[in-house]
Each structure stands twice: as structure tokens, then as C-alpha cells.
Amino acid sequence: MLNYERLEFLGDAVLGAIVAELLYKFFPNQDEGFLTRVRSKVVSRESLNELAINIGLDKEVVAKSDISHNKHIYGDVFEAFVGAMFLDQGFVNTKCFIEKFIFPNFFDIKNLVAVDTNYKSRLIEWGQKNKVAVQFQTEETYRRRQSRFLCVVTVEGEEKGRGEGTSKKEAEQHAAKVVVDAL
């Protein structure tokens, strides 16, 4: 059975490689930790979802069921689009499209560098720097037949923040933001 998820898998890998190379060249004096953080912002679900909507992919999605509860579907579709382009046009043309059209028109690299929204990483780094135990406990719950995630962050065994989301990662980010904002 054909579906977009196999193309999404391929597109994710191709996009990750292209973005990694572009950032490697754009920031010649930065270390791999910095490059990894910026790459994760570029290829994050939120970023790709916004990008897909900005280029009009949201208007092209046809689904058999209501997809309004899955706010990340458009980013997934963008990755599938990249995978399809790679299969049809090859790596060089796909890279050219990302480099010449997507990056200059839809990403402000300087803004991505200035704004750090990976609260979980920031909190973990803070814990390591201060030799403080930070733990994330995440569980899946169900409401109205929809999967949700609840995360509790503890610092030195004491609960410091909670967060919810439609994915484990989203719940952990929301919980970490609560704790980071309180620090």
C-alpha cells in the first residue's frame, strides 16, 4: 500500500542532510553542538508545519478523515514532498530547491540562532552545569479517543513543572518551559 509516510521517512533524512550541509557552510566557525541546535530548529515539526502552510501545501492535502486534530500533518507532508522530489529529481536538484528557494524565502537564520525554544535541552544543560538531577516523566493519556501526553518535570526529586501535548516531545517542551521560566 502506498502512502505518504514512506516518502516522509525519506524526505526527513534528505532534508536533514541538506540542512546540515547548508549550516556547516553558513557557520564555518561554530561547533557541532551549535549546528545541531540550529538544525533541530529548522527541521522541527513546528517550523516545517509553518513552512508547509506558507508555501500552500496545506491547500493540497486530501484526507479521508478529519485532520484538524493533527496540527503537524503539514510538516509531515512537506517532508514527503522532499522525499518525492529526491526520488524524481535527485539529490542535487532537491538541494538546489531547498538552498535557493526554501532557505532564503522562509527561514531567517539569524533569528533562529537568537531564539532558543528548545526548553528541554536548556533545562538538561542547566541541570548538568549545576550538578542537579532533572527528570522527565511522560505518560500517554486518552481523551475522547485522542491520544495526549502528560509530562512532569522533577528537579532533585521535587515536581517543578507539568506540560501537556499531542506528542511526547511537545508535552516535555511545555513542561520544561514552565520550569525554565521559573528559574
Side-chain angles (χ1 to χ4, degrees):
M1 178 177 181
L2 293 175
N3 64 39
Y4 79 95
E5 290 166 333
R6 286 178 49 85
L7 286 173
E8 177 190 348
F9 165 79
L10 182 60
D12 177 54
V14 170
L15 184 61
I18 291 169
V19 170
E21 182 184 351
L22 292 174
L23 294 175
Y24 182 85
K25 290 177 179 175
F26 194 80
F27 297 106
N29 300 319
Q30 295 292 342
D31 66 16
E32 69 280 0
F34 171 87
L35 296 172
T36 298
R37 285 190 298 277
V38 176
R39 182 186 61 200
S40 73
K41 290 179 192 180
V42 172
V43 299
S44 73
R45 241 348 101 223
E46 293 78 17
S47 177
L48 294 182
N49 190 52
E50 185 178 322
L51 169 63
I53 292 168
N54 286 338
I55 66 172
L57 277 180
D58 58 319
K59 293 169 184 57
E60 303 303 322
V61 174
V62 177
K64 291 180 181 177
S65 61
D66 179 24
I67 59 171
S68 63
H69 67 278
N70 185 350
K71 61 184 177 184
H72 302 302
I73 189 77
Y74 302 123
D76 295 346
V77 169
F78 178 76
E79 287 179 336
F81 173 74
V82 170
M85 179 181 284
F86 169 75
L87 290 175
D88 188 59
Q89 300 292 316
F91 185 80
V92 172
N93 287 333
T94 304
K95 179 182 170 206
C96 186
F97 171 75
I98 300 295
E99 187 175 17
K100 304 284 190 232
F101 178 69
I102 297 296
F103 249 68
N105 294 310
F106 298 101
F107 287 106
D108 180 353
I109 295 299
K110 290 181 177 138
N111 186 45
L112 281 173
V113 169
V115 178
D116 187 0
T117 58
N118 191 338
Y119 297 102
K120 182 179 179 183
S121 290
R122 286 172 54 188
L123 185 56
I124 290 170
E125 288 173 12
W126 174 85
Q128 291 170 343
K129 180 181 174 186
N130 293 290
K131 297 181 181 14
V132 174
V134 176
Q135 291 187 306
F136 293 80
Q137 298 164 324
T138 308
E139 62 183 48
E140 189 171 11
T141 62
Y142 295 93
R143 289 195 198 138
R144 294 186 290 280
R145 292 183 284 170
Q146 286 186 330
S147 182
R148 300 273 305 161
F149 293 83
L150 172 65
C151 177
V152 175
V153 175
T154 58
V155 177
E156 291 292 306
E158 183 180 335
E159 182 179 321
K160 294 292 185 180
R162 289 177 172 257
E164 284 191 52
T166 57
S167 69
K168 181 178 178 183
K169 182 177 179 181
E170 185 177 287
E172 290 173 346
Q173 286 294 336
H174 288 161
K177 182 179 186 321
V178 170
V179 178
V180 167
D181 288 347
L183 291 175

